[in-house]
Amino acid sequence: MTQFMNGNTPPESHTHESANPQWGGRFASGPAAIMSEINASIGFDRILWRQDIKGSLAHAAMLRKVGLLTQEEENDIRRGLAEIGKEIEEGRFPFSADLEDIHMNIESRLSERIGEAGKRLHTARSRNDQIATDFRLWVRDSIDGIIGQTHALMATLARQALQYHDVPMPGFTHLQVAQPVTFGHHLLAYVEMLARDVSRLRDARTRLNESPLGSAALAGTSFPIDRTMTAKELGFDRPTANSLDAVSDRDFALEYLSVLSIEAMHLSRLSEEIVQWASAAFNFVHLSDAFTTGSSIMPQKRNPDAAELVRAKVGRITGDLVGLLTVMKGLPLAYAKDTQEDKEPVFDATTAITLSLAAMEGMIRDLKPNKERMRELAGAGFSTATDLADWLVRELRLPFRTAHHVTGRLVGMAEKKGCDLADLSLEEMKSVEPGINNSVYDVLTVEASLASRTSEGGTAPSNVKAQAEKWLATLAA
Ligand code: ARG
């Protein structure tokens, strides 16, 4: 056999002896091995088994209700599917690539176990509406899990924000020290971002929550099915309205990946800040041992690997989104096998965001700010210059533009002397603006600057404390 340079062996291309037992009626021989290899999705779609069984149970109950199955047949199907569920759970299920996917693996096993009734289950249904249903159910479950994890991270951020609501740190624009803010305020900014992510996840969930089951292959069915019954049974709000759309639509997966991309981008930004804060140059925070690693060559190192990996995960999640968008582009109605490529990106992105949220929650929970260092830098770089300009407006009624100019000259003077604004004497101040008096010094401290920022959404510790408490109450409700 040929060997590729990388050591892999190419799959053999001879044919199987027998045709597929589920759809092989008109086929004389089985597929080429390479065909099975490219066709089979069981390697990754087995993860949908719970949703597949759930969908089949709902379908069977409906078939019984409309008279297409007897009560006895439905009972057999229920029992058979329960046993199959157990087999899968306990790792005893004989998954087969020849049976392509999770739907045919389960259906074939059902017939093996219960006979005739198992073969009736596929009445008025197709794998096309089956996969559309299973996949929606799976994404819906994942959305619920991710909302839960996001809420946990928000609560941890809010708890830290409450604890550090009055700890000053430099606020940056352009990564230049701009004005003092509090550490709590900075953490709560991420709570707001994550709250929008949750809101987007909920929106996506609402739009997703329609049942494709009963659309059959593409055109609906001639059987007198009750789609509202199966929709209700599966927790969907209603059946989908157009069978062609229902079997080919993957908007729900794309929307999910879009929302995850945005959330992963938020986590990436926070990760970047953690990486910066933990560097010796900033020295703003201490990360716990649990979320750092050592270097194999430099004994002094403590690397923020978890933050770096979360920072990077957005790359694969956005890649998953772009990958699926590209798969869907140009697909004609209705179902096409291309859509089988929808699953791996969604599974991959789900694993990535789940890990990221867990790691971020742990890092934030353990994070300890270096208050002295943050306080020191909060006052550096003339960070209270805006407070001085505001004082000139408020006390001397200078127009803001003029006050800005006066302050600029005072900053220039302090810079030349190598001192802070508060270190300029009153005489020096008066030489630039004669109206300045002693009370100006009250606004030049970091603490005064912070306390004054009481406008709605501002960084004043009193605001931050109230906001953190509000979030903790909301999240506990
Ligand atoms: N495994 C398929 C998928 O994931 C299920 C639907 C197959 N339908 C078909 N007509 N071959 O998309």
Side-chain angles (χ1 to χ4, degrees), residues 41 45 101 103 127-128 131 335 337 339-340 343:
S41 52
D45 71 10
D101 54 28
H103 324 298
R127 279 188 291 153
N128 297 352
I131 186 58
Y335 177 83
K337 199 57 172 265
T339 57
Q340 181 162 285
K343 289 168 205 60

Side-chain angles (χ1 to χ4, degrees), residues 125-145:
R125 134 181 133 168
S126 152
R127 279 188 291 153
N128 297 352
D129 60 340
Q130 221 183 329
I131 186 58
T133 305
D134 292 4
F135 202 27
R136 279 186 195 233
L137 289 174
W138 194 90
V139 171
R140 195 177 71 186
D141 288 344
S142 294
I143 287 177
D144 293 343

